């Protein structure tokens, strides 16, 4: 089942891997960011990192993602990774793009197979069917805040 177009969705997470899911209806509330900078949409990703949300897995595979144990290509930081992916390129586009010049390009070419594997580790699959109706038994209702306060003797 697909959600109605135009219905805004908010992902609440400090994990930047969710940035790849962003579009005009999907935003991230990054709880790890400073107040005022927590609402992340495609414009914020493009402004801060220089890549589109769709390029996020390629970007992190190139420059690394310590939280996912992805080392990235040695000597390729976020600025170089964004420059390599400029123009909306994906990893598969790089070999024929002319962007892999110089020492940095050689490092990417040498590690290309590993970079593709890292990207697949980071990529969130959106082609898996997920049931939209609850199944199984419902969990028991949670106690009210007043019940917790009384049980703990805080009131």
């Amino acid at each position: 089942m697909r959600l109605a177009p135009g219905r805004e969705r908010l992902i609440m997470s400090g994990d930047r891997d969710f940035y790849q899911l962003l579009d005009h209806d999907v935003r991230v509330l990054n709880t790890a960011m400073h107040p005022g900078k927590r609402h992340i949409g495609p414009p914020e990703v493009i402004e801060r990192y220089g890549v589109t949300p769709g390029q996020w897995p390629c970007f992190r595979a190139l420059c690394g993602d310590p939280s996912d144990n992805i080392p990235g290509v040695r000597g390729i930081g976020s600025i170089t990774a964004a420059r390599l992916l400029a123009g909306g390129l994906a990893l598969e586009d790089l070999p024929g793009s002319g962007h892999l010049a110089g020492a940095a390009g050689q490092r990417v070419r040498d590690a290309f197979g590993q970079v593709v594997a890292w990207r697949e580790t980071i990529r969130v699959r959106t082609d898996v069917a997920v049931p939209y109706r609850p199944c199984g038994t419902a969990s028991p209702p949670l106690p009210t805040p007043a019940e917790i306060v009384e049980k703990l003797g805080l009131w």
Side-chain angles (χ1 to χ4, degrees), residues 72-91:
V73 178
R74 187 171 182 220
I76 304 293
S78 59
I79 293 171
T80 304
R83 183 177 46 79
L84 291 171
L85 297 170
L89 298 180
L91 289 180

Side-chain angles (χ1 to χ4, degrees), residues 11-32:
I11 300 170
M12 296 177 62
S13 176
D15 189 345
R16 294 180 189 161
D17 289 342
F18 288 111
Y19 288 1
Q20 63 192 282
L21 301 176
L22 301 179
D23 63 23
H24 62 282
D25 290 331
V26 179
R27 297 178 60 83
V28 167
L29 174 62
N30 189 330
T31 55

Side-chain angles (χ1 to χ4, degrees), residues 62 72-76 80 83-84 94-95 97-115 118:
L62 286 167
V73 178
R74 187 171 182 220
I76 304 293
T80 304
R83 183 177 46 79
L84 291 171
L94 289 179
S97 69
H99 288 208
L100 296 180
Q106 185 60 48
R107 286 192 292 272
V108 172
R109 283 193 300 274
D110 291 345
F112 195 75
Q114 188 64 50
V115 173
W118 291 332

Side-chain angles (χ1 to χ4, degrees), residues 38-51:
R38 291 182 176 171
H39 289 271
I40 309 295
E44 289 79 14
V45 172
I46 293 166
E47 180 183 335
R48 181 164 183 185
Y49 300 101
V51 295

Side-chain angles (χ1 to χ4, degrees), residues 1 5 8 13 22 32 41 64 72 75 80 87 90-91 104 111 113 116 120 126 128 132 135 148:
M1 176 179 165
E8 188 174 322
S13 176
L22 301 179
T80 304
L91 289 180
V116 171
E120 294 310 309
T126 58
V128 178
Y132 63 93
C135 55
I148 294 171

